[in-house]
Amino acid sequence: MENKARFGWKRKRPTGIGNHVAELFQNQDDAQSVLKDNDYNQGEIDWLHLARKSKSNYLESCQAKSNRLRMEGNILAASERYWEAINKWNEALELTPDSCYLYELKAQALMQVGEVFPAVQAAEKATQLNHTWSEGFQTLGRSQIGLGEVDMAIKSFQTAIHLDPSNRELWNEDLAWARSLQSQIKLFNQKSKGIRYHVKS
């Protein structure tokens, strides 16, 4: 059976992530710059404001680092170094645990190394985090087929098609492939029943 798995690092993904932002307030110049930008008067310092801004920049730094780790994982996966890629994405998930994209990438790589059940779990997590993303359901369907859950895979592909009806790959490859497997299974079961009946007679 042709391997239908494809990898997200070849897809265009919305990142919305800028360059890595260094931590603020590491030295006196940074603090003075912030004070100047916020037009503080009479030497008074709004420490609450500084703390909030520092936290905001820390969160932005986490997102930027997660993005860097994701891209490093993409490069490793493209070189078929799947376990190393998975490790990078796991590191990224520690920083951004709500990233559906990371879970979907991880699911694809897990399928490539034969870890089918963890792949299904990762794909399910991706669809839970973003239930309107067709590619998440597409990957879920592919992993479910790897687990032998063809009927569930068909439902996942149908959901993906509902979310992205213009995606011909979903129609012509994924759903057609799953329905073909479903027909083969039904035919096999019918033949098996016929053999058992013949033996009993």
Side-chain angles (χ1 to χ4, degrees):
M1 181 59 64
E2 181 185 354
N3 189 346
K4 297 286 182 178
R6 68 188 175 95
F7 286 91
W9 47 85
K10 296 180 183 177
R11 302 175 188 156
K12 291 183 179 178
R13 295 184 181 280
T15 57
I17 299 169
N19 293 329
H20 181 70
V21 181
E23 292 288 345
L24 288 181
F25 315 126
Q26 291 179 346
N27 56 54
Q28 187 175 359
D29 292 338
D30 289 335
Q32 289 176 351
S33 176
V34 171
L35 292 174
K36 182 178 180 181
D37 290 341
N38 289 278
D39 211 18
Y40 288 95
N41 295 317
Q42 298 178 350
E44 294 180 3
I45 299 175
D46 186 345
W47 293 108
L48 181 61
H49 174 81
L50 291 177
R52 286 174 179 168
K53 192 163 183 76
S54 179
K55 182 178 179 181
S56 173
N57 282 280
Y58 171 75
L59 293 174
E60 188 175 0
S61 294
C62 286
Q63 184 65 68
K65 184 176 180 181
S66 175
N67 185 53
R68 176 178 58 77
L69 289 165
R70 179 173 66 85
M71 296 305 296
E72 289 176 4
N74 290 356
I75 293 168
L76 289 166
S79 301
E80 300 185 356
R81 295 162 63 179
Y82 300 116
W83 282 116
E84 293 174 75
I86 290 167
N87 288 336
K88 290 291 183 182
W89 295 327
N90 282 337
E91 287 183 54
L93 282 167
E94 291 180 7
L95 297 167
T96 53
D98 294 332
S99 172
C100 62
Y101 305 111
L102 287 168
Y103 278 106
E104 191 268 346
L105 286 167
K106 184 178 173 181
Q108 291 186 64
L110 286 166
M111 281 189 281
Q112 289 297 306
V113 296
E115 296 289 338
V116 182
F117 185 68
V120 171
Q121 291 179 312
E124 285 179 340
K125 183 67 175 178
T127 59
Q128 290 167 6
L129 289 169
N130 188 347
H131 57 274
T132 62
W133 186 38
S134 66
E135 289 182 5
F137 284 97
Q138 183 180 30
T139 298
L140 176 58
R142 290 173 175 176
S143 62
Q144 287 168 330
I145 283 182
L147 201 60
E149 297 290 348
V150 178
D151 292 341
M152 293 177 66
I154 288 174
K155 290 180 180 178
S156 294
F157 291 141
Q158 288 173 335
T159 301
I161 288 170
H162 175 73
L163 294 168
D164 186 10
S166 64
N167 188 333
R168 303 313 303 172
E169 182 183 40
L170 284 165
W171 288 96
N172 300 332
E173 295 185 27
D174 291 306
L175 187 59
W177 175 45
R179 283 177 172 166
S180 174
L181 289 174
Q182 188 183 54
S183 297
Q184 292 176 40
I185 292 169
K186 286 181 179 178
L187 182 62
F188 175 79
N189 290 337
Q190 289 172 358
K191 288 182 177 179
S192 297
K193 287 180 182 178
I195 292 171
R196 287 198 298 270
Y197 177 78
H198 182 73
V199 170
K200 289 181 180 179
S201 300

